[in-house]
Amino acid sequence: MPADLVEKVHKRIGELTVNVTAAARICTTPCGGEYLEVRVSRSHSPASTSDGKYYLRVSDESKPLVGEEIQRLLNERSAQPWETLTSLQAPREQADSAKLAAFAGGIRASDRVKASVKEKSDKELLDHYFWRTVSS
């Protein structure tokens, strides 16, 4: 791989996006092969393309956001993200029961959540959203 590839990737991501922080590095496999590893940091503000388009990433697909979807994203972005709970090592056992009930109720009332998820127990919802028990 070219030695300046990491710098080019970092520069190009900056040219094509707004509020996106990425770190790239060239990694070598045990058999001598090389690959480029790109890590995109979680942003506290919504990311967009340089021409002002916003996208929502769901699994391996990105879909463009329009109208009220953008407003919802902007409103929700500043909230405490549930996906960081495992990295913050917040023990499930210390969860506030009223907040857990509100979370589960909100999930079940949402029109953006699949029926199969709404049918889960509170514990299964925590598992589904990756809030694992943290050992002390």
Side-chain angles (χ1 to χ4, degrees):
M1 279 193 199
D4 64 342
L5 181 61
V6 171
E7 184 178 323
K8 285 181 180 180
V9 167
H10 189 263
K11 181 180 177 188
R12 191 67 178 144
I13 289 173
E15 292 171 350
L16 296 173
T17 61
V18 177
N19 293 331
V20 175
T21 304
R25 69 182 182 135
I26 296 174
C27 300
T28 305
T29 65
C31 62
E34 293 182 322
Y35 63 93
L36 182 68
E37 178 183 77
V38 179
R39 293 182 179 237
V40 179
S41 301
R42 184 183 193 291
S43 176
H44 291 288
S45 56
S48 71
T49 60
S50 57
D51 59 355
K53 294 180 182 174
Y54 290 87
Y55 292 86
L56 177 64
R57 183 89 174 153
V58 178
S59 186
D60 290 335
E61 296 181 30
S62 294
K63 72 171 200 161
L65 293 176
V66 294
E68 67 182 45
E69 291 176 327
I70 293 174
Q71 187 61 45
R72 181 178 54 80
L73 173 70
L74 294 173
N75 290 337
E76 291 177 354
R77 196 63 185 163
S78 62
Q80 175 66 28
W82 59 263
E83 65 267 19
T84 63
L85 290 175
T86 54
S87 64
L88 293 175
Q89 296 189 2
R92 178 185 292 186
E93 296 79 18
Q94 294 178 8
D96 181 305
S97 58
K99 289 180 181 178
L100 175 56
F103 167 76
I107 293 294
R108 292 186 183 105
S110 175
D111 60 352
R112 298 187 316 242
V113 177
K114 293 188 288 186
S116 61
V117 174
K118 292 179 181 184
E119 295 170 355
K120 296 180 181 295
S121 69
D122 290 359
K123 181 183 180 309
E124 290 170 329
L125 283 175
L126 293 178
D127 289 340
H128 180 77
Y129 288 105
F130 303 111
W131 193 1
R132 305 284 186 226
T133 301
V134 178
S135 56
S136 304

